[in-house]
Amino acid sequence: MYTYFVRQFVKRTFECLNHGDYESVLQGVSPSITHTFSGTHALGGTRHSVEAMRQWFKRLYLMSPKLEFEIKNIVVSGFPWDTTIAVEWVDTAMPADGSEYVNEGVHIIKMQWGKAVYIHAYLDTQLVEALLKRLSAYGIAEASAPPIED
């Protein structure tokens, strides 16, 4: 029963992301979060606060305002005090330069008592870096900014 509720929570969370509503997502994040997006580019790095995640989401949606995830699989393991979730997805976006973007990956999420304490996105970072280079050439300064880390 618990895993059913967690799966529903994950689906709602990604649906919020599909609408650009990252503020709702941040409500489910612990103040002691570790959020990692692989790479050393503008979206890469590790954040340890809700505010740094907010800045990261602002940057993400500035560059890809029409981001949409299609969830392929959700695996839940554990108990309310120590839950591990794997979310396999395909994302599509219409970046700010009008180009097409498709990537696929997995989020590993750890939750404690209903709050995310660890999020790590695994995806094709070469596609992300190519997108950021295009957006930088298009004139979007955030695409070549250093990672948001704290």
Side-chain angles (χ1 to χ4, degrees):
M1 187 68 134
Y2 173 66
T3 58
Y4 170 80
F5 288 115
V6 173
R7 281 189 185 98
Q8 295 309 307
F9 173 79
V10 169
K11 288 177 185 177
R12 283 191 306 276
T13 299
F14 276 81
E15 192 59 35
C16 287
L17 292 175
N18 287 347
H19 292 99
D21 182 13
Y22 57 84
E23 288 297 335
S24 291
V25 173
L26 292 174
Q27 290 176 9
V29 171
S30 169
S32 60
I33 187 67
T34 297
H35 173 253
T36 301
F37 192 98
S38 297
T40 57
H41 46 74
L43 292 174
T46 299
R47 286 139 297 282
H48 296 285
S49 71
V50 173
E51 184 53 35
M53 280 188 70
R54 179 176 286 111
Q55 295 306 314
W56 183 87
F57 275 122
K58 284 181 184 178
R59 179 177 285 177
L60 173 67
Y61 284 100
L62 169 76
M63 294 187 284
S64 293
K66 295 181 181 174
L67 178 63
E68 188 169 317
F69 291 91
E70 177 188 347
I71 295 176
K72 296 295 189 180
N73 197 13
I74 302 171
V75 177
V76 179
S77 176
F79 301 97
W81 56 90
D82 184 22
T83 307
T84 301
I85 306 156
V87 184
E88 179 186 16
W89 47 262
V90 173
D91 70 346
T92 57
M94 180 63 69
D97 68 347
S99 64
E100 290 186 15
Y101 174 83
V102 178
N103 206 333
E104 59 186 343
V106 173
H107 273 78
I108 301 297
I109 304 164
K110 291 187 179 277
M111 293 181 70
Q112 295 175 349
W113 299 113
K115 295 283 188 178
V117 296
Y118 174 89
I119 303 168
H120 193 139
Y122 295 91
L123 64 158
D124 186 338
T125 58
Q126 288 181 336
L127 291 175
V128 175
E129 288 181 17
L131 169 65
L132 294 175
K133 284 180 185 175
R134 286 195 314 268
L135 292 175
S136 181
Y138 185 71
I140 297 176
E142 288 281 329
S144 57
I148 297 168
E149 296 184 304
D150 70 338

